[in-house]
Amino acid sequence: KGQIVVTSSVLGVRCVPGSAIYTSTKWAVEGMVGCVRKELEGTKVKVGTVCPNAIDTPWWKEPERGGKRNPDAVPQTMLSSEAVAEIIQMMLNQPASSNIER
C-alpha cells in the first residue's frame, strides 16, 4: 500500500517548438510512469504524475545552468513551487479508492 508521485512537466503531454530535447525527456517520464502504474495494478500502490507548466525558480534567469538568455523568452505566468507542492499534497491526501494518474 502506498503512493508514488513523480514530477514531470506539461511538456510531457504537449509539444512546443524549440523544446524537442526537454520535451522528449518528459515524454519518457510519462511512459515510464505509465508502465510502472500498469506493473503495480492490483498492489494498492497508486502512481501519478504532476505536470506543471513553468515554475518560478532562479533557473529561468541563469543561462549558465540552461535558463533563458533572452528575458523576453521567460514565461510571464509561472507557478510557485509552493503551489506545485500543494498539488502533490492534494494527490497524496486522496482516498484509497481514487485515481491519482494525472
Side-chain angles (χ1 to χ4, degrees), residues 8-30:
S8 182
S9 168
V10 70
L11 293 184
V13 294
R14 294 188 189 152
C15 296
V16 174
S19 65
I21 294 171
Y22 179 80
T23 298
S24 65
T25 67
K26 296 306 175 180
W27 281 70
V29 168
E30 292 295 320

Side-chain angles (χ1 to χ4, degrees), residues 1 6 11 14 17 28 33 40 43 55 60 72 74 89 92-94 96-98:
K1 177 178 168 178
V6 178
L11 293 184
R14 294 188 189 152
V33 170
L40 294 175
T43 66
I55 301 172
W60 290 98
D72 294 334
V74 175
Q89 189 64 46
L92 294 173
N93 288 330
Q94 296 302 304
S97 61
S98 68

Side-chain angles (χ1 to χ4, degrees), residues 44-83:
K44 297 187 179 184
V45 175
K46 298 191 294 184
V47 182
T49 54
V50 176
C51 301
N53 201 347
I55 301 172
D56 190 7
T57 65
W59 175 86
W60 290 98
K61 298 177 181 105
E62 298 175 357
E64 65 279 359
R65 292 182 49 215
K68 302 295 181 185
R69 295 188 190 319
N70 178 355
D72 294 334
V74 175
Q76 298 302 306
T77 305
M78 293 193 251
L79 293 169
S80 68
S81 55
E82 292 82 9

